[in-house]
């Protein structure tokens, strides 16, 4: 039994934005005390060569921006190729 060559594309996207704000009532001010904005993007491509061989190409990208000056922006990129061989 032979499968056709399948090519599957997948894209995962995530956006998270959280912040904690202190309100100084007598001075009518508001200032953030903590929080971050995080964007994640993870595309991948799967290719089924035959019944026993599958190839996957992937990239994971994540960027974090702090809401206060106490934190640092962080960017993380990972990627690779996965080869899966099934022996029968």
């Amino acid at each position: 039994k032979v499968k056709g060559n399948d090519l599957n594309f997948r894209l995962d996207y995530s956006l998270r934005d959280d912040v904690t704000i202190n309100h100084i009532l007598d001075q009518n001010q508001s200032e953030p005390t903590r929080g971050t904005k995080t964007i994640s993007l993870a595309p991948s491509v799967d290719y089924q060569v035959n019944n026993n061989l599958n190839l996957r190409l992937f990239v994971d990208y994540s960027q974090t921006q702090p809401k206060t000056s106490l934190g640092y922006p962080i960017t993380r990129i990972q990627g690779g190729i996965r080869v899966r061989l099934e022996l029968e």
Side-chain angles (χ1 to χ4, degrees):
K1 196 177 198 184
V2 176
K3 286 185 183 178
N5 293 351
D6 290 334
L7 181 67
N8 296 315
F9 179 76
R10 181 176 175 162
L11 177 64
D12 293 328
Y13 175 76
S14 169
L15 174 64
R16 181 178 175 177
D17 192 1
D18 69 291
V19 64
T20 301
I21 297 174
N22 275 352
H23 299 280
I24 305 169
L25 298 177
D26 62 348
Q27 297 177 7
N28 200 19
Q29 291 182 358
S30 300
E31 64 180 46
T33 56
R34 70 161 203 85
T36 58
K37 181 177 182 179
T38 303
I39 299 171
S40 297
L41 188 65
S44 66
V45 176
D46 284 309
Y47 181 61
Q48 186 75 35
V49 178
N50 57 34
N51 283 343
N52 299 333
L53 183 61
N54 179 280
L55 303 174
R56 182 174 189 206
L57 175 66
F58 65 93
V59 175
D60 293 330
Y61 172 84
S62 175
Q63 182 181 37
T64 302
Q65 294 288 331
K67 296 286 185 175
T68 65
S69 61
L70 298 175
Y72 296 98
I74 299 170
T75 301
R76 182 181 58 92
I77 301 173
Q78 298 180 34
I81 298 174
R82 183 187 75 178
V83 178
R84 189 172 78 189
L85 178 64
E86 295 180 15
L87 301 176
E88 295 180 4

